[in-house]
Short mmCIF file of all heavy atoms in Angstrom, two decimals:
data_model
loop_
_atom_site.label_atom_id
_atom_site.label_comp_id
_atom_site.label_asym_id
_atom_site.label_seq_id
_atom_site.Cartn_x
_atom_site.Cartn_y
_atom_site.Cartn_z
N LEU A 20 31.03 8.01 1.98
CA LEU A 20 30.32 8.48 3.13
C LEU A 20 29.87 9.86 3.15
O LEU A 20 28.86 10.20 3.81
CB LEU A 20 31.40 8.28 4.29
CG LEU A 20 31.74 6.81 4.60
CD1 LEU A 20 32.94 6.73 5.61
CD2 LEU A 20 30.70 6.00 5.14
N GLU A 21 30.65 10.73 2.48
CA GLU A 21 30.13 12.14 2.46
C GLU A 21 28.99 12.30 1.52
O GLU A 21 28.09 13.09 1.91
CB GLU A 21 31.38 12.95 1.91
CG GLU A 21 31.09 14.56 1.95
CD GLU A 21 32.33 15.35 1.97
OE1 GLU A 21 33.45 14.76 1.52
OE2 GLU A 21 32.26 16.57 2.37
N SER A 22 28.95 11.49 0.56
CA SER A 22 27.70 11.56 -0.36
C SER A 22 26.46 11.12 0.33
O SER A 22 25.39 11.42 -0.05
CB SER A 22 27.94 10.63 -1.54
OG SER A 22 27.86 9.25 -1.32
N GLU A 23 26.63 10.31 1.42
CA GLU A 23 25.50 9.75 2.28
C GLU A 23 25.32 10.77 3.45
O GLU A 23 24.36 10.39 4.29
CB GLU A 23 25.75 8.37 2.66
CG GLU A 23 25.87 7.36 1.57
CD GLU A 23 26.01 5.96 1.98
OE1 GLU A 23 25.87 5.69 3.07
OE2 GLU A 23 26.27 5.19 1.09
N GLY A 24 26.03 11.84 3.50
CA GLY A 24 25.80 12.63 4.56
C GLY A 24 26.30 12.22 6.02
O GLY A 24 25.94 12.94 7.05
N LEU A 25 27.29 11.26 5.97
CA LEU A 25 27.75 10.84 7.28
C LEU A 25 28.99 11.35 7.74
O LEU A 25 29.36 11.40 8.99
CB LEU A 25 27.95 9.25 7.18
CG LEU A 25 26.62 8.45 6.96
CD1 LEU A 25 27.04 6.96 6.70
CD2 LEU A 25 25.68 8.55 8.09
N ILE A 26 29.71 11.97 6.80
CA ILE A 26 30.95 12.76 7.16
C ILE A 26 31.02 14.00 6.40
O ILE A 26 30.26 14.17 5.37
CB ILE A 26 32.27 11.99 6.87
CG1 ILE A 26 32.52 11.65 5.38
CG2 ILE A 26 32.26 10.64 7.68
CD1 ILE A 26 33.92 11.04 5.13
N GLN A 27 31.97 14.96 6.78
CA GLN A 27 32.14 16.14 6.04
C GLN A 27 33.60 16.48 5.97
O GLN A 27 34.28 16.36 7.07
CB GLN A 27 31.30 17.28 6.47
CG GLN A 27 31.60 17.65 7.95
CD GLN A 27 30.59 18.80 8.43
OE1 GLN A 27 29.68 19.25 7.67
NE2 GLN A 27 30.87 19.29 9.63
N THR A 28 34.06 16.95 4.93
CA THR A 28 35.47 17.32 4.79
C THR A 28 35.62 18.82 4.74
O THR A 28 34.89 19.54 4.05
CB THR A 28 36.09 16.79 3.44
OG1 THR A 28 36.04 15.34 3.37
CG2 THR A 28 37.68 17.17 3.29
N VAL A 29 36.46 19.28 5.86
CA VAL A 29 36.68 20.73 6.02
C VAL A 29 38.00 21.14 5.30
O VAL A 29 39.07 20.60 5.81
CB VAL A 29 36.63 21.21 7.46
CG1 VAL A 29 36.86 22.68 7.50
CG2 VAL A 29 35.33 20.68 8.02
N PRO A 30 38.13 21.87 4.30
CA PRO A 30 39.44 22.27 3.69
C PRO A 30 40.42 22.77 4.72
O PRO A 30 40.09 23.54 5.64
CB PRO A 30 38.99 23.33 2.64
CG PRO A 30 37.60 22.99 2.33
CD PRO A 30 36.99 22.52 3.61
N HIS A 31 41.69 22.23 4.54
CA HIS A 31 42.77 22.68 5.40
C HIS A 31 42.50 22.33 6.90
O HIS A 31 43.29 22.80 7.74
CB HIS A 31 43.09 24.18 5.40
CG HIS A 31 43.05 24.65 3.90
ND1 HIS A 31 44.09 24.26 3.02
CD2 HIS A 31 42.37 25.59 3.23
CE1 HIS A 31 43.91 24.91 1.90
NE2 HIS A 31 42.81 25.72 1.93
N SER A 32 41.59 21.41 7.18
CA SER A 32 41.35 21.00 8.58
C SER A 32 41.34 19.54 8.67
O SER A 32 42.03 18.89 9.47
CB SER A 32 40.01 21.67 9.11
OG SER A 32 39.80 21.22 10.43
N GLY A 33 40.43 18.87 7.94
CA GLY A 33 40.30 17.35 8.04
C GLY A 33 38.94 16.90 7.66
O GLY A 33 38.09 17.61 7.23
N THR A 34 38.71 15.65 8.04
CA THR A 34 37.50 15.04 7.85
C THR A 34 36.81 14.57 9.13
O THR A 34 37.43 14.05 9.91
CB THR A 34 37.58 13.74 6.96
OG1 THR A 34 38.28 14.08 5.72
CG2 THR A 34 36.32 13.00 6.72
N TYR A 35 35.47 14.98 9.26
CA TYR A 35 34.84 14.84 10.54
C TYR A 35 33.49 14.15 10.29
O TYR A 35 32.88 14.20 9.27
CB TYR A 35 34.53 16.18 11.15
CG TYR A 35 35.75 17.05 11.41
CD1 TYR A 35 36.35 17.82 10.40
CD2 TYR A 35 36.35 16.99 12.70
CE1 TYR A 35 37.48 18.51 10.61
CE2 TYR A 35 37.52 17.76 12.79
CZ TYR A 35 38.14 18.54 11.79
OH TYR A 35 39.23 19.23 12.05
N VAL A 36 33.07 13.40 11.43
CA VAL A 36 31.81 12.82 11.35
C VAL A 36 30.76 13.94 11.42
O VAL A 36 30.87 14.86 12.29
CB VAL A 36 31.54 11.90 12.59
CG1 VAL A 36 30.16 11.32 12.67
CG2 VAL A 36 32.63 10.73 12.55
N SER A 37 29.80 13.85 10.60
CA SER A 37 28.86 14.99 10.44
C SER A 37 27.83 14.99 11.63
O SER A 37 27.56 13.85 12.19
CB SER A 37 28.08 14.89 9.16
OG SER A 37 27.27 13.74 9.01
N THR A 38 27.38 16.13 11.95
CA THR A 38 26.24 16.32 12.86
C THR A 38 24.91 16.18 12.26
O THR A 38 24.80 16.29 11.06
CB THR A 38 26.38 17.59 13.69
OG1 THR A 38 26.42 18.69 12.82
CG2 THR A 38 27.73 17.66 14.46
N VAL A 39 23.86 16.02 13.05
CA VAL A 39 22.49 15.96 12.64
C VAL A 39 21.82 16.99 13.34
O VAL A 39 21.51 16.90 14.59
CB VAL A 39 21.81 14.55 12.79
CG1 VAL A 39 20.52 14.49 12.17
CG2 VAL A 39 22.76 13.40 12.05
N SER A 40 21.11 17.97 12.67
CA SER A 40 20.42 19.06 13.31
C SER A 40 19.05 18.64 13.48
O SER A 40 18.53 17.70 12.85
CB SER A 40 20.47 20.37 12.53
OG SER A 40 19.79 20.29 11.34
N PHE A 41 18.19 19.31 14.27
CA PHE A 41 16.76 19.08 14.48
C PHE A 41 16.10 19.40 13.33
O PHE A 41 15.11 18.70 12.89
CB PHE A 41 16.25 19.94 15.64
CG PHE A 41 14.91 19.44 16.14
CD1 PHE A 41 14.67 18.41 16.91
CD2 PHE A 41 13.77 20.16 15.67
CE1 PHE A 41 13.31 17.91 17.27
CE2 PHE A 41 12.60 19.80 15.99
CZ PHE A 41 12.29 18.67 16.77
N HIS A 42 16.42 20.38 12.51
CA HIS A 42 15.82 20.69 11.25
C HIS A 42 15.97 19.51 10.32
O HIS A 42 15.06 19.25 9.55
CB HIS A 42 16.31 22.02 10.69
CG HIS A 42 15.79 22.36 9.32
ND1 HIS A 42 14.65 22.96 9.12
CD2 HIS A 42 16.38 22.19 8.05
CE1 HIS A 42 14.35 23.13 7.87
NE2 HIS A 42 15.47 22.82 7.24
N GLU A 43 17.14 19.11 10.19
CA GLU A 43 17.51 17.91 9.40
C GLU A 43 16.72 16.76 9.73
O GLU A 43 16.09 15.96 8.78
CB GLU A 43 18.96 17.60 9.23
CG GLU A 43 19.82 18.61 8.57
CD GLU A 43 21.29 18.34 8.86
OE1 GLU A 43 21.70 17.87 9.91
OE2 GLU A 43 22.09 18.70 7.89
N LEU A 44 16.53 16.50 10.96
CA LEU A 44 15.69 15.42 11.42
C LEU A 44 14.32 15.52 11.03
O LEU A 44 13.69 14.52 10.62
CB LEU A 44 15.83 15.28 12.98
CG LEU A 44 17.07 14.72 13.53
CD1 LEU A 44 17.05 14.83 15.02
CD2 LEU A 44 17.42 13.32 13.05
N ARG A 45 13.68 16.66 11.19
CA ARG A 45 12.39 16.87 10.82
C ARG A 45 12.14 16.63 9.32
O ARG A 45 11.17 15.92 8.97
CB ARG A 45 11.94 18.45 11.14
CG ARG A 45 10.49 18.68 10.78
CD ARG A 45 10.17 20.09 10.65
NE ARG A 45 10.97 20.73 9.48
CZ ARG A 45 11.16 22.09 9.29
NH1 ARG A 45 10.61 22.99 10.09
NH2 ARG A 45 11.72 22.36 8.20
N ASP A 46 12.96 17.05 8.50
CA ASP A 46 12.79 16.76 7.00
C ASP A 46 12.95 15.19 6.77
O ASP A 46 12.41 14.59 5.92
CB ASP A 46 13.93 17.49 6.24
CG ASP A 46 13.77 19.00 6.21
OD1 ASP A 46 12.60 19.47 6.66
OD2 ASP A 46 14.69 19.70 5.92
N LEU A 47 13.93 14.73 7.43
CA LEU A 47 14.30 13.23 7.32
C LEU A 47 13.02 12.39 7.67
O LEU A 47 12.73 11.47 6.85
CB LEU A 47 15.48 12.90 8.21
CG LEU A 47 16.07 11.44 8.18
CD1 LEU A 47 17.48 11.52 8.59
CD2 LEU A 47 15.24 10.47 9.13
N PHE A 48 12.48 12.71 8.78
CA PHE A 48 11.38 11.94 9.34
C PHE A 48 10.11 12.01 8.36
O PHE A 48 9.29 11.18 8.19
CB PHE A 48 11.02 12.25 10.68
CG PHE A 48 12.00 11.67 11.70
CD1 PHE A 48 12.36 12.53 12.74
CD2 PHE A 48 12.39 10.39 11.70
CE1 PHE A 48 13.30 12.00 13.67
CE2 PHE A 48 13.30 9.94 12.54
CZ PHE A 48 13.71 10.70 13.49
N GLU A 49 9.82 13.25 7.82
CA GLU A 49 8.71 13.48 6.90
C GLU A 49 8.82 12.52 5.67
O GLU A 49 7.85 11.98 5.34
CB GLU A 49 8.68 14.92 6.40
CG GLU A 49 8.18 15.91 7.40
CD GLU A 49 8.12 17.32 6.94
OE1 GLU A 49 8.59 17.56 5.82
OE2 GLU A 49 7.54 18.15 7.63
N VAL A 50 10.06 12.38 5.23
CA VAL A 50 10.18 11.56 4.12
C VAL A 50 10.07 10.01 4.40
O VAL A 50 9.51 9.30 3.77
CB VAL A 50 11.66 11.78 3.37
CG1 VAL A 50 11.88 10.90 2.25
CG2 VAL A 50 11.62 13.23 2.78
N ARG A 51 10.79 9.72 5.49
CA ARG A 51 10.94 8.32 5.92
C ARG A 51 9.54 7.74 6.27
O ARG A 51 9.22 6.55 6.15
CB ARG A 51 11.96 8.09 7.01
CG ARG A 51 12.20 6.61 7.33
CD ARG A 51 13.29 6.48 8.46
NE ARG A 51 13.33 4.91 8.54
CZ ARG A 51 13.81 4.41 9.80
NH1 ARG A 51 14.15 5.14 10.72
NH2 ARG A 51 13.84 3.07 9.86
N SER A 52 8.71 8.62 6.93
CA SER A 52 7.44 8.14 7.32
C SER A 52 6.65 7.74 6.18
O SER A 52 5.84 6.77 6.27
CB SER A 52 6.73 9.29 8.14
OG SER A 52 7.43 9.49 9.38
N TYR A 53 6.65 8.41 5.22
CA TYR A 53 5.91 8.15 3.94
C TYR A 53 6.53 6.92 3.30
O TYR A 53 5.71 5.94 2.94
CB TYR A 53 5.97 9.28 2.86
CG TYR A 53 5.31 8.99 1.66
CD1 TYR A 53 3.90 8.95 1.59
CD2 TYR A 53 6.13 8.57 0.47
CE1 TYR A 53 3.30 8.70 0.27
CE2 TYR A 53 5.54 8.27 -0.70
CZ TYR A 53 4.14 8.32 -0.82
OH TYR A 53 3.50 7.99 -1.95
N LEU A 54 7.83 6.73 3.09
CA LEU A 54 8.47 5.63 2.43
C LEU A 54 8.24 4.29 3.20
O LEU A 54 8.03 3.32 2.65
CB LEU A 54 9.89 5.94 2.22
CG LEU A 54 10.21 7.06 1.13
CD1 LEU A 54 11.75 7.22 0.97
CD2 LEU A 54 9.44 6.76 -0.14
N ILE A 55 8.32 4.44 4.57
CA ILE A 55 8.20 3.11 5.39
C ILE A 55 6.89 2.56 5.25
O ILE A 55 6.72 1.29 5.26
CB ILE A 55 8.63 3.50 6.76
CG1 ILE A 55 9.12 2.16 7.48
CG2 ILE A 55 7.51 4.07 7.71
CD1 ILE A 55 9.80 2.46 8.85
N SER A 56 5.82 3.50 5.18
CA SER A 56 4.42 2.97 4.98
C SER A 56 4.29 2.33 3.63
O SER A 56 3.67 1.18 3.57
CB SER A 56 3.56 4.15 5.09
OG SER A 56 2.18 3.70 4.79
N LEU A 57 4.98 2.90 2.54
CA LEU A 57 4.86 2.25 1.28
C LEU A 57 5.56 0.87 1.21
O LEU A 57 5.31 -0.04 0.67
CB LEU A 57 5.60 3.11 0.29
CG LEU A 57 5.86 2.60 -1.19
CD1 LEU A 57 4.43 2.33 -1.86
CD2 LEU A 57 6.56 3.65 -2.03
N ALA A 58 6.76 0.82 2.04
CA ALA A 58 7.50 -0.44 2.09
C ALA A 58 6.64 -1.54 2.85
O ALA A 58 6.70 -2.66 2.34
CB ALA A 58 8.76 -0.19 2.97
N GLY A 59 5.92 -1.23 3.84
CA GLY A 59 5.01 -2.20 4.37
C GLY A 59 3.94 -2.68 3.45
O GLY A 59 3.78 -4.06 3.42
N LYS A 60 3.47 -1.81 2.57
CA LYS A 60 2.41 -2.23 1.56
C LYS A 60 2.97 -3.17 0.57
O LYS A 60 2.36 -4.19 0.32
CB LYS A 60 1.74 -1.07 1.05
CG LYS A 60 0.97 -0.34 1.91
CD LYS A 60 0.26 0.93 1.34
CE LYS A 60 -0.45 1.82 2.30
NZ LYS A 60 -0.97 3.05 1.64
N LEU A 61 4.13 -2.68 0.02
CA LEU A 61 4.76 -3.58 -1.00
C LEU A 61 5.35 -4.89 -0.41
O LEU A 61 5.20 -5.91 -1.10
CB LEU A 61 5.94 -2.77 -1.60
CG LEU A 61 5.63 -1.62 -2.42
CD1 LEU A 61 6.75 -0.87 -3.02
CD2 LEU A 61 4.57 -1.97 -3.62
N SER A 62 5.80 -4.88 0.87
CA SER A 62 6.29 -6.07 1.39
C SER A 62 5.10 -7.13 1.62
O SER A 62 5.35 -8.35 1.30
CB SER A 62 6.95 -5.90 2.75
OG SER A 62 7.33 -7.06 3.40
N ALA A 63 3.98 -6.71 2.10
CA ALA A 63 2.89 -7.59 2.19
C ALA A 63 2.49 -8.23 0.79
O ALA A 63 2.00 -9.35 0.87
CB ALA A 63 1.71 -6.82 2.81
N ARG A 64 2.72 -7.48 -0.21
CA ARG A 64 2.41 -8.01 -1.51
C ARG A 64 3.40 -9.02 -2.01
O ARG A 64 3.09 -9.95 -2.81
CB ARG A 64 2.18 -6.86 -2.43
CG ARG A 64 1.65 -7.14 -3.76
CD ARG A 64 1.63 -5.92 -4.67
NE ARG A 64 0.94 -4.73 -4.04
CZ ARG A 64 1.08 -3.49 -4.56
NH1 ARG A 64 1.64 -3.20 -5.58
NH2 ARG A 64 0.43 -2.50 -3.81
#
């Protein structure tokens, strides 16, 4: 889960569900928008 960015382990504290910042969202959407278009083209094929 940590490798997928869904949780984070804080030393001497515990394991927490990770937060998602607006900056991270911007980067995420830039990548996903491109890949999802590619998925549509390949799926049609």
Side-chain angles (χ1 to χ4, degrees):
L20 292 171
E21 190 157 19
S22 73
E23 296 183 11
L25 295 175
I26 66 172
Q27 57 183 6
T28 299
V29 180
H31 312 298
S32 178
T34 301
Y35 300 85
V36 177
S37 61
T38 58
V39 183
S40 71
F41 190 80
H42 176 77
E43 289 171 326
L44 285 174
R45 184 196 64 189
D46 293 348
L47 183 157
F48 285 137
E49 284 181 353
V50 175
R51 192 179 175 204
S52 294
Y53 175 79
L54 292 182
I55 203 170
S56 177
L57 175 61
K60 293 176 182 178
L61 291 178
S62 178
R64 191 183 308 170

